[in-house]
PDB file of all heavy atoms in Angstrom:
ATOM      1  N   ARG A   1      10.583  33.110 -46.386  1.00  0.00           N
ATOM      2  CA  ARG A   1       9.615  34.180 -46.634  1.00  0.00           C
ATOM      3  C   ARG A   1       8.459  34.178 -45.641  1.00  0.00           C
ATOM      4  O   ARG A   1       7.915  35.239 -45.328  1.00  0.00           O
ATOM      5  CB  ARG A   1       9.048  34.074 -48.048  1.00  0.00           C
ATOM      6  CG  ARG A   1      10.099  34.190 -49.142  1.00  0.00           C
ATOM      7  CD  ARG A   1       9.455  34.266 -50.527  1.00  0.00           C
ATOM      8  NE  ARG A   1       8.685  33.065 -50.838  1.00  0.00           N
ATOM      9  CZ  ARG A   1       7.376  33.051 -51.070  1.00  0.00           C
ATOM     10  NH1 ARG A   1       6.671  34.180 -51.041  1.00  0.00           N
ATOM     11  NH2 ARG A   1       6.755  31.906 -51.361  1.00  0.00           N
ATOM     12  N   PHE A   2       8.067  33.000 -45.176  1.00  0.00           N
ATOM     13  CA  PHE A   2       6.936  32.875 -44.252  1.00  0.00           C
ATOM     14  C   PHE A   2       7.447  32.500 -42.868  1.00  0.00           C
ATOM     15  O   PHE A   2       8.429  31.762 -42.728  1.00  0.00           O
ATOM     16  CB  PHE A   2       5.966  31.787 -44.712  1.00  0.00           C
ATOM     17  CG  PHE A   2       5.198  32.105 -45.970  1.00  0.00           C
ATOM     18  CD1 PHE A   2       5.510  33.196 -46.763  1.00  0.00           C
ATOM     19  CD2 PHE A   2       4.149  31.281 -46.359  1.00  0.00           C
ATOM     20  CE1 PHE A   2       4.803  33.478 -47.920  1.00  0.00           C
ATOM     21  CE2 PHE A   2       3.435  31.552 -47.513  1.00  0.00           C
ATOM     22  CZ  PHE A   2       3.756  32.644 -48.298  1.00  0.00           C
ATOM     23  N   THR A   3       6.758  32.976 -41.846  1.00  0.00           N
ATOM     24  CA  THR A   3       7.080  32.631 -40.471  1.00  0.00           C
ATOM     25  C   THR A   3       5.802  32.228 -39.742  1.00  0.00           C
ATOM     26  O   THR A   3       4.847  32.998 -39.691  1.00  0.00           O
ATOM     27  CB  THR A   3       7.736  33.803 -39.726  1.00  0.00           C
ATOM     28  OG1 THR A   3       8.930  34.197 -40.403  1.00  0.00           O
ATOM     29  CG2 THR A   3       8.094  33.394 -38.296  1.00  0.00           C
ATOM     30  N   ILE A   4       5.794  31.020 -39.195  1.00  0.00           N
ATOM     31  CA  ILE A   4       4.652  30.548 -38.431  1.00  0.00           C
ATOM     32  C   ILE A   4       4.936  30.738 -36.940  1.00  0.00           C
ATOM     33  O   ILE A   4       6.067  30.561 -36.486  1.00  0.00           O
ATOM     34  CB  ILE A   4       4.325  29.071 -38.748  1.00  0.00           C
ATOM     35  CG1 ILE A   4       2.986  28.665 -38.133  1.00  0.00           C
ATOM     36  CG2 ILE A   4       5.444  28.147 -38.286  1.00  0.00           C
ATOM     37  CD1 ILE A   4       2.481  27.302 -38.619  1.00  0.00           C
ATOM     38  N   SER A   5       3.912  31.108 -36.193  1.00  0.00           N
ATOM     39  CA  SER A   5       4.056  31.291 -34.760  1.00  0.00           C
ATOM     40  C   SER A   5       2.723  31.025 -34.087  1.00  0.00           C
ATOM     41  O   SER A   5       1.681  30.936 -34.754  1.00  0.00           O
ATOM     42  CB  SER A   5       4.560  32.702 -34.422  1.00  0.00           C
ATOM     43  OG  SER A   5       3.644  33.693 -34.865  1.00  0.00           O
ATOM     44  N   ARG A   6       2.753  30.877 -32.779  1.00  0.00           N
ATOM     45  CA  ARG A   6       1.518  30.664 -32.037  1.00  0.00           C
ATOM     46  C   ARG A   6       1.601  31.345 -30.686  1.00  0.00           C
ATOM     47  O   ARG A   6       2.673  31.457 -30.088  1.00  0.00           O
ATOM     48  CB  ARG A   6       1.210  29.166 -31.876  1.00  0.00           C
ATOM     49  CG  ARG A   6       2.255  28.366 -31.112  1.00  0.00           C
ATOM     50  CD  ARG A   6       2.006  26.864 -31.223  1.00  0.00           C
ATOM     51  NE  ARG A   6       0.781  26.454 -30.556  1.00  0.00           N
ATOM     52  CZ  ARG A   6       0.211  25.253 -30.687  1.00  0.00           C
ATOM     53  NH1 ARG A   6       0.752  24.348 -31.495  1.00  0.00           N
ATOM     54  NH2 ARG A   6      -0.896  24.970 -30.030  1.00  0.00           N
ATOM     55  N   ASP A   7       0.461  31.801 -30.218  1.00  0.00           N
ATOM     56  CA  ASP A   7       0.322  32.390 -28.905  1.00  0.00           C
ATOM     57  C   ASP A   7      -0.578  31.458 -28.111  1.00  0.00           C
ATOM     58  O   ASP A   7      -1.800  31.484 -28.270  1.00  0.00           O
ATOM     59  CB  ASP A   7      -0.278  33.791 -28.998  1.00  0.00           C
ATOM     60  CG  ASP A   7      -0.312  34.507 -27.662  1.00  0.00           C
ATOM     61  OD1 ASP A   7      -0.357  33.842 -26.613  1.00  0.00           O
ATOM     62  OD2 ASP A   7      -0.292  35.760 -27.662  1.00  0.00           O
ATOM     63  N   ASN A   8       0.012  30.621 -27.294  1.00  0.00           N
ATOM     64  CA  ASN A   8      -0.757  29.617 -26.572  1.00  0.00           C
ATOM     65  C   ASN A   8      -1.727  30.240 -25.562  1.00  0.00           C
ATOM     66  O   ASN A   8      -2.794  29.682 -25.299  1.00  0.00           O
ATOM     67  CB  ASN A   8       0.182  28.645 -25.862  1.00  0.00           C
ATOM     68  CG  ASN A   8       0.950  27.762 -26.823  1.00  0.00           C
ATOM     69  OD1 ASN A   8       0.471  27.459 -27.922  1.00  0.00           O
ATOM     70  ND2 ASN A   8       2.131  27.330 -26.420  1.00  0.00           N
ATOM     71  N   ALA A   9      -1.367  31.384 -25.000  1.00  0.00           N
ATOM     72  CA  ALA A   9      -2.251  32.055 -24.054  1.00  0.00           C
ATOM     73  C   ALA A   9      -3.529  32.534 -24.731  1.00  0.00           C
ATOM     74  O   ALA A   9      -4.597  32.559 -24.111  1.00  0.00           O
ATOM     75  CB  ALA A   9      -1.535  33.226 -23.395  1.00  0.00           C
ATOM     76  N   LYS A  10      -3.428  32.929 -26.009  1.00  0.00           N
ATOM     77  CA  LYS A  10      -4.583  33.403 -26.754  1.00  0.00           C
ATOM     78  C   LYS A  10      -5.191  32.332 -27.649  1.00  0.00           C
ATOM     79  O   LYS A  10      -6.191  32.594 -28.320  1.00  0.00           O
ATOM     80  CB  LYS A  10      -4.201  34.609 -27.619  1.00  0.00           C
ATOM     81  CG  LYS A  10      -3.787  35.836 -26.834  1.00  0.00           C
ATOM     82  CD  LYS A  10      -3.481  36.997 -27.769  1.00  0.00           C
ATOM     83  CE  LYS A  10      -3.127  38.254 -27.002  1.00  0.00           C
ATOM     84  NZ  LYS A  10      -2.831  39.389 -27.913  1.00  0.00           N
ATOM     85  N   ASN A  11      -4.597  31.143 -27.671  1.00  0.00           N
ATOM     86  CA  ASN A  11      -5.048  30.063 -28.555  1.00  0.00           C
ATOM     87  C   ASN A  11      -5.150  30.545 -30.004  1.00  0.00           C
ATOM     88  O   ASN A  11      -6.138  30.282 -30.695  1.00  0.00           O
ATOM     89  CB  ASN A  11      -6.394  29.502 -28.086  1.00  0.00           C
ATOM     90  CG  ASN A  11      -6.279  28.747 -26.781  1.00  0.00           C
ATOM     91  OD1 ASN A  11      -5.320  28.017 -26.554  1.00  0.00           O
ATOM     92  ND2 ASN A  11      -7.274  28.912 -25.913  1.00  0.00           N
ATOM     93  N   THR A  12      -4.111  31.226 -30.446  1.00  0.00           N
ATOM     94  CA  THR A  12      -4.110  31.814 -31.772  1.00  0.00           C
ATOM     95  C   THR A  12      -2.859  31.410 -32.541  1.00  0.00           C
ATOM     96  O   THR A  12      -1.752  31.410 -31.994  1.00  0.00           O
ATOM     97  CB  THR A  12      -4.198  33.346 -31.700  1.00  0.00           C
ATOM     98  OG1 THR A  12      -5.386  33.717 -30.985  1.00  0.00           O
ATOM     99  CG2 THR A  12      -4.256  33.949 -33.092  1.00  0.00           C
ATOM    100  N   LEU A  13      -3.049  31.084 -33.806  1.00  0.00           N
ATOM    101  CA  LEU A  13      -1.979  30.725 -34.725  1.00  0.00           C
ATOM    102  C   LEU A  13      -1.804  31.853 -35.732  1.00  0.00           C
ATOM    103  O   LEU A  13      -2.783  32.450 -36.181  1.00  0.00           O
ATOM    104  CB  LEU A  13      -2.334  29.429 -35.453  1.00  0.00           C
ATOM    105  CG  LEU A  13      -1.357  28.925 -36.513  1.00  0.00           C
ATOM    106  CD1 LEU A  13      -0.095  28.375 -35.853  1.00  0.00           C
ATOM    107  CD2 LEU A  13      -2.024  27.870 -37.384  1.00  0.00           C
ATOM    108  N   TYR A  14      -0.550  32.125 -36.126  1.00  0.00           N
ATOM    109  CA  TYR A  14      -0.254  33.191 -37.069  1.00  0.00           C
ATOM    110  C   TYR A  14       0.608  32.677 -38.218  1.00  0.00           C
ATOM    111  O   TYR A  14       1.358  31.710 -38.071  1.00  0.00           O
ATOM    112  CB  TYR A  14       0.489  34.342 -36.389  1.00  0.00           C
ATOM    113  CG  TYR A  14      -0.240  34.963 -35.231  1.00  0.00           C
ATOM    114  CD1 TYR A  14       0.051  34.579 -33.926  1.00  0.00           C
ATOM    115  CD2 TYR A  14      -1.212  35.929 -35.435  1.00  0.00           C
ATOM    116  CE1 TYR A  14      -0.608  35.145 -32.853  1.00  0.00           C
ATOM    117  CE2 TYR A  14      -1.880  36.502 -34.369  1.00  0.00           C
ATOM    118  CZ  TYR A  14      -1.572  36.111 -33.082  1.00  0.00           C
ATOM    119  OH  TYR A  14      -2.230  36.676 -32.019  1.00  0.00           O
ATOM    120  N   LEU A  15       0.500  33.353 -39.341  1.00  0.00           N
ATOM    121  CA  LEU A  15       1.401  33.131 -40.457  1.00  0.00           C
ATOM    122  C   LEU A  15       1.774  34.491 -41.030  1.00  0.00           C
ATOM    123  O   LEU A  15       0.945  35.155 -41.651  1.00  0.00           O
ATOM    124  CB  LEU A  15       0.769  32.258 -41.543  1.00  0.00           C
ATOM    125  CG  LEU A  15       1.699  31.882 -42.702  1.00  0.00           C
ATOM    126  CD1 LEU A  15       2.816  30.956 -42.209  1.00  0.00           C
ATOM    127  CD2 LEU A  15       0.924  31.225 -43.837  1.00  0.00           C
ATOM    128  N   GLN A  16       3.027  34.911 -40.801  1.00  0.00           N
ATOM    129  CA  GLN A  16       3.531  36.155 -41.361  1.00  0.00           C
ATOM    130  C   GLN A  16       4.139  35.850 -42.719  1.00  0.00           C
ATOM    131  O   GLN A  16       5.073  35.053 -42.809  1.00  0.00           O
ATOM    132  CB  GLN A  16       4.574  36.778 -40.444  1.00  0.00           C
ATOM    133  CG  GLN A  16       5.163  38.083 -40.964  1.00  0.00           C
ATOM    134  CD  GLN A  16       4.150  39.198 -41.012  1.00  0.00           C
ATOM    135  OE1 GLN A  16       3.521  39.514 -40.003  1.00  0.00           O
ATOM    136  NE2 GLN A  16       3.962  39.795 -42.180  1.00  0.00           N
ATOM    137  N   MET A  17       3.623  36.475 -43.750  1.00  0.00           N
ATOM    138  CA  MET A  17       4.058  36.229 -45.116  1.00  0.00           C
ATOM    139  C   MET A  17       4.659  37.505 -45.690  1.00  0.00           C
ATOM    140  O   MET A  17       4.017  38.553 -45.679  1.00  0.00           O
ATOM    141  CB  MET A  17       2.891  35.765 -45.984  1.00  0.00           C
ATOM    142  CG  MET A  17       2.150  34.554 -45.434  1.00  0.00           C
ATOM    143  SD  MET A  17       0.817  33.990 -46.535  1.00  0.00           S
ATOM    144  CE  MET A  17      -0.315  35.383 -46.382  1.00  0.00           C
ATOM    145  N   ILE A  18       5.892  37.415 -46.188  1.00  0.00           N
ATOM    146  CA  ILE A  18       6.543  38.546 -46.833  1.00  0.00           C
ATOM    147  C   ILE A  18       7.010  38.132 -48.225  1.00  0.00           C
ATOM    148  O   ILE A  18       7.057  36.954 -48.555  1.00  0.00           O
ATOM    149  CB  ILE A  18       7.740  39.069 -46.005  1.00  0.00           C
ATOM    150  CG1 ILE A  18       8.845  38.009 -45.913  1.00  0.00           C
ATOM    151  CG2 ILE A  18       7.291  39.510 -44.626  1.00  0.00           C
ATOM    152  CD1 ILE A  18      10.128  38.524 -45.303  1.00  0.00           C
ATOM    153  N   THR A  19       7.364  39.130 -49.026  1.00  0.00           N
ATOM    154  CA  THR A  19       7.831  38.898 -50.393  1.00  0.00           C
ATOM    155  C   THR A  19       6.897  37.944 -51.123  1.00  0.00           C
ATOM    156  O   THR A  19       7.316  36.956 -51.729  1.00  0.00           O
ATOM    157  CB  THR A  19       9.272  38.360 -50.394  1.00  0.00           C
ATOM    158  OG1 THR A  19      10.065  39.048 -49.421  1.00  0.00           O
ATOM    159  CG2 THR A  19       9.926  38.593 -51.767  1.00  0.00           C
ATOM    160  N   LEU A  20       5.622  38.251 -51.070  1.00  0.00           N
ATOM    161  CA  LEU A  20       4.617  37.380 -51.675  1.00  0.00           C
ATOM    162  C   LEU A  20       4.750  37.328 -53.190  1.00  0.00           C
ATOM    163  O   LEU A  20       5.087  38.323 -53.838  1.00  0.00           O
ATOM    164  CB  LEU A  20       3.223  37.844 -51.285  1.00  0.00           C
ATOM    165  CG  LEU A  20       2.811  37.469 -49.857  1.00  0.00           C
ATOM    166  CD1 LEU A  20       1.649  38.326 -49.389  1.00  0.00           C
ATOM    167  CD2 LEU A  20       2.454  35.985 -49.794  1.00  0.00           C
ATOM    168  N   LYS A  21       4.482  36.163 -53.745  1.00  0.00           N
ATOM    169  CA  LYS A  21       4.550  35.905 -55.171  1.00  0.00           C
ATOM    170  C   LYS A  21       3.180  35.503 -55.694  1.00  0.00           C
ATOM    171  O   LYS A  21       2.350  35.006 -54.935  1.00  0.00           O
ATOM    172  CB  LYS A  21       5.544  34.777 -55.463  1.00  0.00           C
ATOM    173  CG  LYS A  21       6.941  34.989 -54.909  1.00  0.00           C
ATOM    174  CD  LYS A  21       7.803  33.758 -55.154  1.00  0.00           C
ATOM    175  CE  LYS A  21       9.196  33.941 -54.603  1.00  0.00           C
ATOM    176  NZ  LYS A  21      10.036  32.726 -54.828  1.00  0.00           N
ATOM    177  N   PRO A  22       2.934  35.693 -56.993  1.00  0.00           N
ATOM    178  CA  PRO A  22       1.651  35.240 -57.554  1.00  0.00           C
ATOM    179  C   PRO A  22       1.386  33.762 -57.292  1.00  0.00           C
ATOM    180  O   PRO A  22       0.223  33.368 -57.135  1.00  0.00           O
ATOM    181  CB  PRO A  22       1.805  35.526 -59.051  1.00  0.00           C
ATOM    182  CG  PRO A  22       2.744  36.676 -59.105  1.00  0.00           C
ATOM    183  CD  PRO A  22       3.725  36.439 -57.981  1.00  0.00           C
ATOM    184  N   GLU A  23       2.429  32.945 -57.225  1.00  0.00           N
ATOM    185  CA  GLU A  23       2.277  31.522 -56.955  1.00  0.00           C
ATOM    186  C   GLU A  23       1.753  31.232 -55.555  1.00  0.00           C
ATOM    187  O   GLU A  23       1.350  30.101 -55.272  1.00  0.00           O
ATOM    188  CB  GLU A  23       3.617  30.790 -57.146  1.00  0.00           C
ATOM    189  CG  GLU A  23       4.263  31.014 -58.502  1.00  0.00           C
ATOM    190  CD  GLU A  23       5.192  32.215 -58.504  1.00  0.00           C
ATOM    191  OE1 GLU A  23       6.386  32.048 -58.169  1.00  0.00           O
ATOM    192  OE2 GLU A  23       4.723  33.321 -58.851  1.00  0.00           O
ATOM    193  N   ASP A  24       1.766  32.222 -54.674  1.00  0.00           N
ATOM    194  CA  ASP A  24       1.225  32.055 -53.329  1.00  0.00           C
ATOM    195  C   ASP A  24      -0.293  32.206 -53.290  1.00  0.00           C
ATOM    196  O   ASP A  24      -0.902  31.975 -52.242  1.00  0.00           O
ATOM    197  CB  ASP A  24       1.847  33.069 -52.371  1.00  0.00           C
ATOM    198  CG  ASP A  24       3.340  32.878 -52.201  1.00  0.00           C
ATOM    199  OD1 ASP A  24       3.793  31.716 -52.090  1.00  0.00           O
ATOM    200  OD2 ASP A  24       4.072  33.894 -52.175  1.00  0.00           O
ATOM    201  N   THR A  25      -0.892  32.596 -54.398  1.00  0.00           N
ATOM    202  CA  THR A  25      -2.339  32.774 -54.452  1.00  0.00           C
ATOM    203  C   THR A  25      -3.051  31.454 -54.184  1.00  0.00           C
ATOM    204  O   THR A  25      -2.810  30.454 -54.861  1.00  0.00           O
ATOM    205  CB  THR A  25      -2.763  33.325 -55.817  1.00  0.00           C
ATOM    206  OG1 THR A  25      -2.206  34.628 -56.003  1.00  0.00           O
ATOM    207  CG2 THR A  25      -4.279  33.418 -55.915  1.00  0.00           C
ATOM    208  N   ALA A  26      -3.921  31.453 -53.187  1.00  0.00           N
ATOM    209  CA  ALA A  26      -4.629  30.239 -52.789  1.00  0.00           C
ATOM    210  C   ALA A  26      -5.579  30.572 -51.650  1.00  0.00           C
ATOM    211  O   ALA A  26      -5.534  31.663 -51.082  1.00  0.00           O
ATOM    212  CB  ALA A  26      -3.644  29.155 -52.339  1.00  0.00           C
ATOM    213  N   VAL A  27      -6.429  29.607 -51.324  1.00  0.00           N
ATOM    214  CA  VAL A  27      -7.182  29.674 -50.083  1.00  0.00           C
ATOM    215  C   VAL A  27      -6.329  29.029 -49.002  1.00  0.00           C
ATOM    216  O   VAL A  27      -5.854  27.905 -49.169  1.00  0.00           O
ATOM    217  CB  VAL A  27      -8.538  28.961 -50.185  1.00  0.00           C
ATOM    218  CG1 VAL A  27      -9.267  28.997 -48.849  1.00  0.00           C
ATOM    219  CG2 VAL A  27      -9.396  29.602 -51.269  1.00  0.00           C
ATOM    220  N   TYR A  28      -6.124  29.741 -47.918  1.00  0.00           N
ATOM    221  CA  TYR A  28      -5.288  29.261 -46.827  1.00  0.00           C
ATOM    222  C   TYR A  28      -6.171  28.761 -45.693  1.00  0.00           C
ATOM    223  O   TYR A  28      -7.088  29.454 -45.246  1.00  0.00           O
ATOM    224  CB  TYR A  28      -4.363  30.373 -46.332  1.00  0.00           C
ATOM    225  CG  TYR A  28      -3.201  30.621 -47.256  1.00  0.00           C
ATOM    226  CD1 TYR A  28      -3.395  31.208 -48.500  1.00  0.00           C
ATOM    227  CD2 TYR A  28      -1.904  30.250 -46.895  1.00  0.00           C
ATOM    228  CE1 TYR A  28      -2.334  31.417 -49.372  1.00  0.00           C
ATOM    229  CE2 TYR A  28      -0.836  30.455 -47.752  1.00  0.00           C
ATOM    230  CZ  TYR A  28      -1.058  31.046 -48.996  1.00  0.00           C
ATOM    231  OH  TYR A  28       0.007  31.252 -49.845  1.00  0.00           O
ATOM    232  N   TYR A  29      -5.872  27.549 -45.224  1.00  0.00           N
ATOM    233  CA  TYR A  29      -6.662  26.899 -44.198  1.00  0.00           C
ATOM    234  C   TYR A  29      -5.841  26.645 -42.943  1.00  0.00           C
ATOM    235  O   TYR A  29      -4.700  26.193 -43.023  1.00  0.00           O
ATOM    236  CB  TYR A  29      -7.190  25.551 -44.685  1.00  0.00           C
ATOM    237  CG  TYR A  29      -8.145  25.628 -45.851  1.00  0.00           C
ATOM    238  CD1 TYR A  29      -7.683  25.542 -47.156  1.00  0.00           C
ATOM    239  CD2 TYR A  29      -9.511  25.775 -45.644  1.00  0.00           C
ATOM    240  CE1 TYR A  29      -8.548  25.609 -48.231  1.00  0.00           C
ATOM    241  CE2 TYR A  29     -10.388  25.839 -46.712  1.00  0.00           C
ATOM    242  CZ  TYR A  29      -9.898  25.752 -48.005  1.00  0.00           C
ATOM    243  OH  TYR A  29     -10.766  25.810 -49.065  1.00  0.00           O
ATOM    244  N   CYS A  30      -6.435  26.880 -41.809  1.00  0.00           N
ATOM    245  CA  CYS A  30      -5.848  26.547 -40.522  1.00  0.00           C
ATOM    246  C   CYS A  30      -6.207  25.110 -40.168  1.00  0.00           C
ATOM    247  O   CYS A  30      -7.334  24.665 -40.411  1.00  0.00           O
ATOM    248  CB  CYS A  30      -6.382  27.511 -39.462  1.00  0.00           C
ATOM    249  SG  CYS A  30      -5.759  27.240 -37.793  1.00  0.00           S
ATOM    250  N   ASN A  31      -5.253  24.383 -39.606  1.00  0.00           N
ATOM    251  CA  ASN A  31      -5.457  22.979 -39.264  1.00  0.00           C
ATOM    252  C   ASN A  31      -4.929  22.696 -37.864  1.00  0.00           C
ATOM    253  O   ASN A  31      -3.905  23.242 -37.452  1.00  0.00           O
ATOM    254  CB  ASN A  31      -4.739  22.082 -40.282  1.00  0.00           C
ATOM    255  CG  ASN A  31      -4.669  20.628 -39.851  1.00  0.00           C
ATOM    256  OD1 ASN A  31      -3.718  20.209 -39.186  1.00  0.00           O
ATOM    257  ND2 ASN A  31      -5.681  19.853 -40.224  1.00  0.00           N
ATOM    258  N   LEU A  32      -5.626  21.825 -37.157  1.00  0.00           N
ATOM    259  CA  LEU A  32      -5.176  21.361 -35.846  1.00  0.00           C
ATOM    260  C   LEU A  32      -5.338  19.849 -35.754  1.00  0.00           C
ATOM    261  O   LEU A  32      -6.391  19.320 -36.122  1.00  0.00           O
ATOM    262  CB  LEU A  32      -5.959  22.044 -34.721  1.00  0.00           C
ATOM    263  CG  LEU A  32      -5.560  21.684 -33.281  1.00  0.00           C
ATOM    264  CD1 LEU A  32      -5.794  22.866 -32.345  1.00  0.00           C
ATOM    265  CD2 LEU A  32      -6.340  20.465 -32.772  1.00  0.00           C
ATOM    266  N   ARG A  33      -4.311  19.171 -35.297  1.00  0.00           N
ATOM    267  CA  ARG A  33      -4.408  17.748 -35.002  1.00  0.00           C
ATOM    268  C   ARG A  33      -3.812  17.474 -33.636  1.00  0.00           C
ATOM    269  O   ARG A  33      -2.860  18.137 -33.222  1.00  0.00           O
ATOM    270  CB  ARG A  33      -3.726  16.906 -36.078  1.00  0.00           C
ATOM    271  CG  ARG A  33      -2.213  17.044 -36.152  1.00  0.00           C
ATOM    272  CD  ARG A  33      -1.638  16.048 -37.152  1.00  0.00           C
ATOM    273  NE  ARG A  33      -0.199  16.185 -37.304  1.00  0.00           N
ATOM    274  CZ  ARG A  33       0.705  15.579 -36.527  1.00  0.00           C
ATOM    275  NH1 ARG A  33       0.309  14.799 -35.535  1.00  0.00           N
ATOM    276  NH2 ARG A  33       1.995  15.758 -36.740  1.00  0.00           N
ATOM    277  N   PHE A  34      -4.376  16.503 -32.949  1.00  0.00           N
ATOM    278  CA  PHE A  34      -3.885  16.154 -31.630  1.00  0.00           C
ATOM    279  C   PHE A  34      -2.778  15.117 -31.719  1.00  0.00           C
ATOM    280  O   PHE A  34      -2.634  14.407 -32.711  1.00  0.00           O
ATOM    281  CB  PHE A  34      -5.031  15.628 -30.769  1.00  0.00           C
ATOM    282  CG  PHE A  34      -6.060  16.658 -30.434  1.00  0.00           C
ATOM    283  CD1 PHE A  34      -7.342  16.579 -30.953  1.00  0.00           C
ATOM    284  CD2 PHE A  34      -5.744  17.725 -29.602  1.00  0.00           C
ATOM    285  CE1 PHE A  34      -8.298  17.526 -30.644  1.00  0.00           C
ATOM    286  CE2 PHE A  34      -6.691  18.685 -29.288  1.00  0.00           C
ATOM    287  CZ  PHE A  34      -7.970  18.582 -29.808  1.00  0.00           C
ATOM    288  N   VAL A  35      -1.974  15.045 -30.678  1.00  0.00           N
ATOM    289  CA  VAL A  35      -0.918  14.055 -30.562  1.00  0.00           C
ATOM    290  C   VAL A  35      -1.145  13.263 -29.272  1.00  0.00           C
ATOM    291  O   VAL A  35      -1.059  13.836 -28.184  1.00  0.00           O
ATOM    292  CB  VAL A  35       0.468  14.712 -30.539  1.00  0.00           C
ATOM    293  CG1 VAL A  35       1.543  13.643 -30.406  1.00  0.00           C
ATOM    294  CG2 VAL A  35       0.696  15.537 -31.796  1.00  0.00           C
ATOM    295  N   PRO A  36      -1.440  11.957 -29.367  1.00  0.00           N
ATOM    296  CA  PRO A  36      -1.597  11.163 -30.580  1.00  0.00           C
ATOM    297  C   PRO A  36      -2.820  11.599 -31.387  1.00  0.00           C
ATOM    298  O   PRO A  36      -3.761  12.159 -30.814  1.00  0.00           O
ATOM    299  CB  PRO A  36      -1.748   9.732 -30.065  1.00  0.00           C
ATOM    300  CG  PRO A  36      -2.337   9.901 -28.703  1.00  0.00           C
ATOM    301  CD  PRO A  36      -1.673  11.133 -28.150  1.00  0.00           C
ATOM    302  N   PRO A  37      -2.804  11.363 -32.697  1.00  0.00           N
ATOM    303  CA  PRO A  37      -3.878  11.889 -33.546  1.00  0.00           C
ATOM    304  C   PRO A  37      -5.213  11.193 -33.319  1.00  0.00           C
ATOM    305  O   PRO A  37      -5.279  10.005 -33.004  1.00  0.00           O
ATOM    306  CB  PRO A  37      -3.361  11.633 -34.968  1.00  0.00           C
ATOM    307  CG  PRO A  37      -2.429  10.476 -34.822  1.00  0.00           C
ATOM    308  CD  PRO A  37      -1.761  10.674 -33.492  1.00  0.00           C
ATOM    309  N   GLN A  38      -6.282  11.961 -33.477  1.00  0.00           N
ATOM    310  CA  GLN A  38      -7.636  11.439 -33.515  1.00  0.00           C
ATOM    311  C   GLN A  38      -7.988  11.116 -34.961  1.00  0.00           C
ATOM    312  O   GLN A  38      -7.259  11.496 -35.876  1.00  0.00           O
ATOM    313  CB  GLN A  38      -8.608  12.460 -32.924  1.00  0.00           C
ATOM    314  CG  GLN A  38      -8.377  12.735 -31.447  1.00  0.00           C
ATOM    315  CD  GLN A  38      -9.377  13.715 -30.870  1.00  0.00           C
ATOM    316  OE1 GLN A  38     -10.098  14.390 -31.594  1.00  0.00           O
ATOM    317  NE2 GLN A  38      -9.421  13.787 -29.549  1.00  0.00           N
ATOM    318  N   PRO A  39      -9.114  10.408 -35.191  1.00  0.00           N
ATOM    319  CA  PRO A  39      -9.447  10.031 -36.574  1.00  0.00           C
ATOM    320  C   PRO A  39      -9.546  11.205 -37.536  1.00  0.00           C
ATOM    321  O   PRO A  39      -9.184  11.074 -38.707  1.00  0.00           O
ATOM    322  CB  PRO A  39     -10.794   9.323 -36.416  1.00  0.00           C
ATOM    323  CG  PRO A  39     -10.749   8.757 -35.038  1.00  0.00           C
ATOM    324  CD  PRO A  39     -10.033   9.790 -34.215  1.00  0.00           C
ATOM    325  N   ASN A  40     -10.050  12.349 -37.073  1.00  0.00           N
ATOM    326  CA  ASN A  40     -10.233  13.510 -37.940  1.00  0.00           C
ATOM    327  C   ASN A  40      -9.506  14.729 -37.391  1.00  0.00           C
ATOM    328  O   ASN A  40      -9.541  15.005 -36.193  1.00  0.00           O
ATOM    329  CB  ASN A  40     -11.719  13.830 -38.110  1.00  0.00           C
ATOM    330  CG  ASN A  40     -12.479  12.732 -38.809  1.00  0.00           C
ATOM    331  OD1 ASN A  40     -12.027  12.188 -39.812  1.00  0.00           O
ATOM    332  ND2 ASN A  40     -13.649  12.406 -38.286  1.00  0.00           N
ATOM    333  N   ASP A  41      -8.855  15.457 -38.309  1.00  0.00           N
ATOM    334  CA  ASP A  41      -8.279  16.751 -37.964  1.00  0.00           C
ATOM    335  C   ASP A  41      -9.382  17.804 -37.928  1.00  0.00           C
ATOM    336  O   ASP A  41     -10.500  17.582 -38.399  1.00  0.00           O
ATOM    337  CB  ASP A  41      -7.236  17.173 -38.997  1.00  0.00           C
ATOM    338  CG  ASP A  41      -5.981  16.329 -38.959  1.00  0.00           C
ATOM    339  OD1 ASP A  41      -5.891  15.416 -38.121  1.00  0.00           O
ATOM    340  OD2 ASP A  41      -5.082  16.585 -39.784  1.00  0.00           O
TER     341      ASP A  41
END
């Protein structure tokens, strides 16, 4: 139902959500972590 994608040229992350359900209700947060990871995301 969901598709994640990114545009590296624009430094933008996307989440396309279809067929949404009431159970999908939430606050959605974007996250970034480095590889190798730093102490904090």
Side-chain angles (χ1 to χ4, degrees):
R1 299 188 298 118
F2 291 10
T3 301
I4 190 169
S5 61
R6 61 191 293 168
D7 186 334
N8 291 331
K10 295 182 177 180
N11 291 320
T12 302
L13 177 72
Y14 302 97
L15 185 67
Q16 180 67 55
M17 306 183 292
I18 65 171
T19 319
L20 283 161
K21 305 175 180 179
E23 306 90 88
D24 296 318
T25 296
V27 177
Y28 284 70
Y29 296 92
C30 180
N31 169 270
L32 182 149
R33 67 174 177 87
F34 293 112
V35 180
Q38 295 182 346
N40 296 315
D41 291 359

